Amino acid sequence: MTLPDFFIIGAAKAGTTSIFALLEQHPDIFMPTPKEPEFFARDDLYSAGIETYSALFAGARPGQRLGEASTLYSHAPLFPDTAARIARHAPGAQFIYVLREPVARAYSFYVQLVKNYQNGTRDYAVHRCFEDFVLPERHALAAPREKALAPFNAHFPDTPELCLAGSDYLLQIETYLACFPRDRFLFLTFEAFRDDPRATLRRITGFLGLDPLPEAAFGGGAAARNVSRAHFDQLEAAAGAQRLRGRVGPLWALRRLLPDPLRAALRRRVLPAGAGRAHEPPPMEPATRQLLAERFHPQIPRLEQLTGLSLASWQAERLC
């Protein structure tokens, strides 16, 4: 049975897609397609049998370290059996867990859900704000599931914890430590990876007992992957072009004859600033930010003890 040597277990929206993209370029690492098999978290996939999962790694060469990156693996208690299932089938596994300031991570996960819904349905409206997802009293009155979650996210439970559980790092870590020894885990931060991706990757390859990632893998730098900003910018540009076409009528056909500066000036004159953002998630309300900080930030001292990380920047972010 061919099974992973290591797992990137999260956190969702903490740079795991970029880390996966870099690691799959290492000659001594094999990472499967899809990037997130989610096998050990989802009952529907796990019930298909471990052989179906093992087949994802059939293309590995002898001697390669096998890994995968399913951020659903750090969403206890929504997917409560994950750690125990991994312990049953891959008891010698190592784990890489990337943490991000918990309030920012929760909001970023919400933005990803909106993006998923728009891509999955081609309905580009935003039917729920962040508070509709995470505050129980707002969630009870929110737009129905089919107006908020993509069809391909059918395995997600529609509860106020959907965006929040992945930020409850103490719960996730303690769930895994009940099944595996502490020395099997490498804890990192999204902020450190963002600021110095090469140093973060050196820590990962060292943890896995491998040579550093070849410099060529970084190219012009570790590009951010799975960034929602580009999605909403593209939607805004398309919506703005449609409105501009309606305003200028037959002159639209002549637009390419105009110099770029003149076209940009015309666009600014015809379209009001900030128009066309109906498809973009609204920002988190300040009261919600404070409420979530009061929930998650008291965990920081214990998290620093468990992980060996310095999380002082998270405290500073709360004060900003």
Side-chain angles (χ1 to χ4, degrees), residues 33-286:
T33 301
K35 174 240 177 187
E36 301 202 37
E38 299 179 341
F39 174 80
F40 293 104
R42 293 173 51 178
D43 293 344
D44 59 329
L45 300 178
Y46 188 72
S47 64
I50 192 68
E51 294 81 6
T52 63
Y53 176 69
S54 176
L56 297 176
F57 303 91
R61 299 192 306 273
Q64 284 185 305
R65 300 294 305 276
L66 313 182
E68 64 122 309
S70 295
T71 57
L72 213 60
Y73 292 170
S74 55
H75 272 72
L78 302 183
F79 299 90
D81 300 319
T82 305
R85 287 170 174 173
I86 295 176
R88 175 186 174 190
H89 295 285
Q94 294 176 284
F95 298 90
I96 299 162
Y97 192 12
V98 190
L99 312 183
R100 179 179 181 178
E101 192 284 318
V103 181
R105 191 221 67 86
Y107 179 78
S108 183
F109 188 77
Y110 155 70
V111 172
Q112 182 68 43
L113 291 178
V114 174
K115 175 184 171 183
N116 289 353
Y117 170 79
Q118 293 178 344
N119 284 335
T121 65
R122 301 303 176 187
D123 173 5
Y124 297 113
V126 178
H127 299 286
R128 286 190 196 175
C129 66
F130 182 57
E131 287 69 23
D132 293 336
F133 268 94
V134 304
L135 301 180
E137 64 277 13
R138 299 270 288 268
H139 183 270
L141 302 174
R145 178 192 182 96
E146 59 270 19
K147 286 292 187 179
L149 295 176
F152 56 80
N153 287 152
H155 56 286
F156 283 164
D158 187 12
T159 78
E161 286 297 298
L162 176 57
C163 293
L164 302 180
S167 292
D168 196 344
Y169 302 131
L170 274 185
L171 173 62
Q172 311 307 326
I173 293 171
E174 289 169 351
T175 299
Y176 275 90
L177 291 181
C179 300
F180 295 94
R182 167 63 180 82
D183 61 6
R184 300 281 186 81
F185 294 83
L186 175 65
F187 296 103
L188 306 164
T189 68
F190 163 81
E191 294 82 7
F193 173 62
R194 177 194 61 200
D195 295 342
D196 192 345
R198 287 170 174 79
T200 297
L201 266 293
R202 284 195 296 271
R203 290 193 63 191
I204 292 173
T205 52
F207 174 68
L208 298 176
L210 300 174
D211 292 333
L213 191 69
E215 184 63 25
F218 293 93
R225 305 293 182 99
N226 199 22
V227 177
S228 297
R229 175 76 268 148
H231 166 81
F232 297 113
D233 285 347
Q234 289 169 4
L235 288 182
E236 181 194 9
Q242 187 64 30
R243 290 194 307 278
L244 185 61
R245 181 175 185 173
R247 295 289 296 276
V248 302
L251 295 177
W252 176 257
L254 304 176
R255 69 192 185 282
R256 299 195 183 281
L257 301 178
L258 300 176
D260 288 344
L262 186 56
R263 276 197 288 170
L266 178 63
R267 183 185 182 90
R268 289 193 298 270
R269 183 176 183 83
V270 173
L271 298 178
R277 291 286 182 178
H279 55 268
E280 186 169 347
M284 186 189 324
E285 297 173 9

